[in-house]
Amino acid sequence: MSDDTLVTYELDGPVALIGLNRPDKRNAINDAVVDALKAAVLRAHDEAHVGVLFGHGPNFCAGLDLAEALARATGRIVPPRKRKRHNWHVVFDEIERGPIPFVGALHGAVVGGGLELAMATHVRVCDESAFFGLPEGQRGIFVGGGGTVRIQRVVGTTVMTDLMLTGRLLNAAEAMTEHVVRYVVPTGGALAKARELAARIAQNTIETNWKIVNVLPRVQDLSHDDGLFVEQLNSAMARPPEVEQRLREFVEGKARPLVAPPKEVP
Ligand code: 1HE
């Protein structure tokens, strides 16, 4: 069951807009939020070509709900009798390795589990208000939303260890340097930029988008030989008819031009 007030869902043409909606608690993630997020993500898989994930209010997400974590630590929430796969892992994997790409629109706090969630999205935009960190060390806990895998692979062990041991926060520019985000925009502009990027991504074929988000992370984990083999299998997969149409459009000079690079070199 999911609570659709905790996570909003809106379809804008081919783009699903999914918003964490618990601003009074800085969009901290409790079990009900994870369930609602899962429902929204699965709905987007069925209805949309691209998803945008954002936070309502002044923050993206303050991570794990520490009040619920305390209730669990003190036995007020009884753990399930069977050890199931961690629900965060299940949902974040649905985002990262599902059928459609996700764009993350980040602002304010993007910390702890909030950063882990953000890193499950494929293209990440932040505004200048955003700050990033892993305060788990200060709370006496450890990352549990896939951060050891997703964050460490992007920023490297040195940076992640520093973030976790010292509790250091990164600003937007530093997050850009560490590849946590790919776009930085003025404060208040992250969602608009994410929607612009999502609309552009939605113009790719569904098939290519699926390959980009599913083949790349898996090949990253393979040897050189196995990676090339998987690449060959995927590029030789049966192509839907729209591929021929797109190739023809280019050959006949009717294709959309490539996106122009910025004029100024940063
Ligand atoms: C929360 C949470 C939360 C806020 N769980 N309730 N995450 C953290 O260690 C970050 C904890 N949060 C903060 O450091 C700050 O709240 C913020 C920097 C994000 C925002 O500061 P601020 O001044 O805007 O808000 P606030 O006054 O600190 O909090 C407002 C309310 O949100 C307050 O509740 P209220 O009922 O007293 O109004 C806070 O208690 C509540 N709140 N953050 C629960 N996280 C699967 S492993 C993942 C492990 C982790 O994510 S560890 C990192 C957890």
Side-chain angles (χ1 to χ4, degrees):
M1 205 177 5
S2 73
D3 179 346
D4 60 10
T5 60
L6 290 174
V7 174
T8 60
Y9 180 95
E10 186 192 335
L11 197 59
D12 177 20
V15 178
L17 302 168
I18 297 179
L20 301 174
N21 191 27
R22 215 185 159 211
D24 52 326
K25 297 290 180 187
R26 307 315 185 242
N27 294 329
I29 304 175
N30 59 17
D31 283 347
V33 170
V34 183
D35 287 346
L37 180 60
K38 183 179 184 182
V41 167
L42 295 183
R43 186 170 166 196
H45 286 175
D46 284 338
E47 297 180 352
H49 292 199
V50 185
V52 170
L53 184 62
F54 68 100
H56 291 278
N59 300 280
F60 174 69
C61 177
L64 175 69
D65 185 309
L66 295 170
E68 196 175 76
L70 177 63
R72 214 170 271 121
T74 52
R76 278 187 286 127
I77 294 178
V78 182
R81 285 180 62 220
K82 291 181 186 162
R83 283 192 184 272
K84 295 188 195 155
R85 194 169 174 230
H86 195 309
N87 59 356
W88 291 43
H89 286 176
V90 172
V91 180
F92 293 10
D93 267 3
E94 287 288 359
I95 295 169
E96 194 202 16
R97 295 177 177 211
I100 62 169
F102 275 85
V103 182
L106 312 174
H107 70 300
V110 187
V111 298
L115 180 56
E116 295 182 289
L117 172 58
M119 296 302 270
T121 65
H122 302 94
V123 178
R124 296 175 292 276
V125 181
C126 78
D127 75 15
E128 284 165 351
S129 74
F131 57 95
F132 303 80
L134 292 168
E136 282 83 348
Q138 288 138 284
R139 312 287 175 231
I141 55 179
F142 193 60
V143 282
T148 56
V149 179
R150 285 196 190 89
I151 301 174
Q152 187 165 217
R153 278 188 191 158
V154 170
V155 306
T157 306
T158 305
V159 172
M160 180 150 174
T161 306
D162 176 34
L163 290 176
M164 290 203 72
L165 285 177
T166 66
R168 168 182 174 170
L169 297 174
L170 303 179
N171 63 24
E174 291 169 313
M176 181 82 156
T177 305
E178 304 300 348
H179 301 285
V180 169
V181 295
R182 292 287 301 142
Y183 301 84
V184 177
V185 295
T187 297
L191 183 55
K193 181 68 182 178
R195 292 178 73 163
E196 175 201 317
L197 293 169
R200 197 183 299 161
I201 294 167
Q203 292 171 354
N204 300 334
T205 67
I206 292 172
E207 181 87 357
T208 301
N209 279 343
W210 173 76
K211 285 179 182 164
I212 291 167
V213 302
N214 280 278
V215 176
L216 292 182
R218 289 181 172 86
V219 166
Q220 193 187 26
D221 296 339
L222 297 177
S223 66
H224 179 96
D225 253 11
D226 291 342
L228 293 182
F229 185 71
V230 169
E231 180 186 285
Q232 184 171 352
L233 289 180
N234 275 280
S235 47
M237 264 171 78
R239 296 188 174 114
E242 61 186 321
V243 174
E244 184 184 320
Q245 184 199 328
R246 282 177 181 239
L247 296 175
R248 194 176 300 285
E249 278 170 6
F250 180 80
V251 170
E252 294 174 358
K254 296 173 190 159
R256 275 184 296 122
L258 296 182
V259 181
K263 292 213 168 53
E264 287 171 26
V265 178

